Amino acid sequence: MTDPHAQPHPDAGAVQPIRWEDDRLLLLDQRVLPFEETYLACDTGAEVARAIADMVVRGAPAIGVTAAYGVVLAARRRYGEDAEGWRAALTQDLAVLAAARPTAVNLGWALDRMGRLAADLEGDPVAALLAEARRMHAEDIAANRAMGEAGAALMAGGSGVLTHCNTGSLATGGYGTALGVIRSAWRAGKLARVFADETRPWLQGARLTAWELTRDGIPVTLLADGAAAYLMHQGEVQWVVVGADRIAANGDVANKIGTYGLAVAARHHGVNVMVVAPTSTVDMAMASGHEVPIETRDPAEVLGCGGRPVAAPGAAAWNPVFDVTPAELIDAIVTERGVVRAPNAERMRRMMGAG
Ligand code: MRU
């Protein structure tokens, strides 16, 4: 009998959604997955900002890495136009990139890091900035690998897990945050079942998470977002495992809309909640989740599905794309620096200071 856990090494045929090739940035267009695998080429910082705003690339760490390459493109153009005044001109590009999406703090984190480096460079800045973007990209993958192991270690054998949105290779530099934990736990033979919310309105779960997991040979069962509480009631899941777009200093977590509802339902049913995110997602300048800017997108995304209208003409729609889960509903936050159980301000401070 074949052991389903012994199937292809998870992430073996890893997808590379962010590629620097022939002096340009190639982004796997996540709007058309899983049915089309096409790359969008970006040659300027403005094109990168548009690709982030339009969801060609999405997921907090992936947005940060993409923006870093966007700074390389912007600096190349500015330096070509004016080898003396390029640094001042670059600040405009940094502002355009920063405005692309408001909630994922990885975007500002990556731009600050690239901007600080740019301020100190003499001569042609491209090689040094590209090396830094590549370094950020590699660091994110390494962080995901570490979090994968640390998160999987928290789970008992035979666990059922439910995840939300897409937090895999597509949403990060590679491997994934919550999906990295699921990959590692699956490989360790700890998971009985993997469930994924379809994640309306962009269907990141149905289109992207299911695509990644099936490519890895990890069986996944999709459910409508509204079915999650009933799944917990059935005793099918022991862990809800999600990513984050911004974690405040007190451990409150902003993540894909629906995460808060999952955490409330999980507490009611005695299901554990694990948030998996690199420290580039932690915003110690934000005291609590109340301060996190929550992106609201076009109502048309709710009024339609896959570009086709589904709602009765004349209906309005509210489309916040993130929500905030209070720290008290979270059992563990897993970062590359360690695990914070029952997060609060003091424990978060200790973890962030730890290295
Ligand atoms: O709107 P999206 O698809 O960018 O939202 C993504 C999420 O909410 C993810 O859960 C989060 O960015 C973590 S990705 C590792």
Side-chain angles (χ1 to χ4, degrees), residues 57 90 127 177 265-266 341:
V57 60
L90 184 68
T177 57
R341 287 179 186 269

Side-chain angles (χ1 to χ4, degrees), residues 55 58-61 101 165 167 171-172 177 204 244-245 255-256 322:
M55 307 279 284
R58 28 66 49 203
R101 290 193 78 189
C165 195
T167 61
T172 63
T177 57
Q204 289 95 331
D245 282 77
N255 190 49
K256 178 53 54 196
F322 300 101

Side-chain angles (χ1 to χ4, degrees), residues 17-267:
I18 305 167
R19 283 164 38 189
W20 182 268
E21 253 176 53
D22 300 328
D23 297 327
R24 55 200 329 218
L25 183 64
L26 300 180
L27 297 172
L28 181 59
D29 191 342
Q30 299 190 29
R31 298 169 303 182
V32 294
L33 283 173
F35 301 111
E36 280 177 48
E37 290 180 38
T38 50
Y39 280 83
L40 183 86
C42 298
D43 292 295
T44 68
E47 286 172 4
V48 172
R50 209 169 311 123
I52 292 171
D54 291 349
M55 307 279 284
V56 172
V57 60
R58 28 66 49 203
I63 290 171
V65 169
T66 300
Y69 287 112
V71 175
V72 180
L73 294 170
R76 182 175 70 193
R77 171 164 289 202
R78 295 297 187 182
Y79 183 76
E81 286 167 357
D82 178 359
E84 298 303 317
W86 67 272
R87 275 188 217 81
L90 184 68
T91 56
Q92 294 165 37
D93 304 306
L94 294 174
V96 169
L97 283 161
R101 290 193 78 189
T103 303
V105 73
N106 306 62
L107 178 57
W109 173 88
L111 294 173
D112 282 353
R113 185 164 153 179
M114 295 296 281
R116 274 199 308 276
L117 175 63
D120 288 340
L121 293 174
E122 297 297 335
D124 188 338
V126 172
L129 289 172
L130 180 58
E132 185 71 351
R134 286 193 199 278
R135 200 157 27 240
M136 257 185 231
H137 197 163
E139 284 171 9
D140 189 62
I141 297 172
N144 289 336
R145 295 272 176 191
M147 293 187 294
E149 295 305 313
L154 300 179
M155 292 178 179
S159 293
V161 298
L162 170 62
T163 191
H164 191 62
C165 195
N166 170 266
T167 61
S169 296
L170 293 168
T172 63
Y175 199 63
T177 57
L179 213 59
V181 167
I182 289 170
R183 286 185 155 115
S184 296
W186 177 264
R187 200 167 54 204
K190 285 188 162 182
L191 297 186
R193 304 277 305 268
V194 179
F195 295 92
D197 284 337
E198 61 177 358
T199 319
R200 274 281 288 153
W202 272 84
L203 300 174
Q204 289 95 331
R207 295 187 303 106
L208 308 178
T209 298
W211 184 69
E212 286 199 43
L213 289 175
T214 52
R215 275 168 60 105
D216 276 3
I218 300 176
V220 57
T221 302
L222 288 168
L223 54 143
D225 299 0
Y230 188 53
L231 180 77
M232 295 179 202
H233 179 259
Q234 302 291 299
E236 291 281 353
V237 294
Q238 284 66 51
W239 284 94
V240 169
V241 188
V242 294
D245 282 77
R246 191 183 297 239
I247 302 178
N250 68 346
D252 290 351
V253 168
N255 190 49
K256 178 53 54 196
I257 189 77
T259 304
Y260 175 40
L262 286 178
V264 170
R267 182 56 54 91

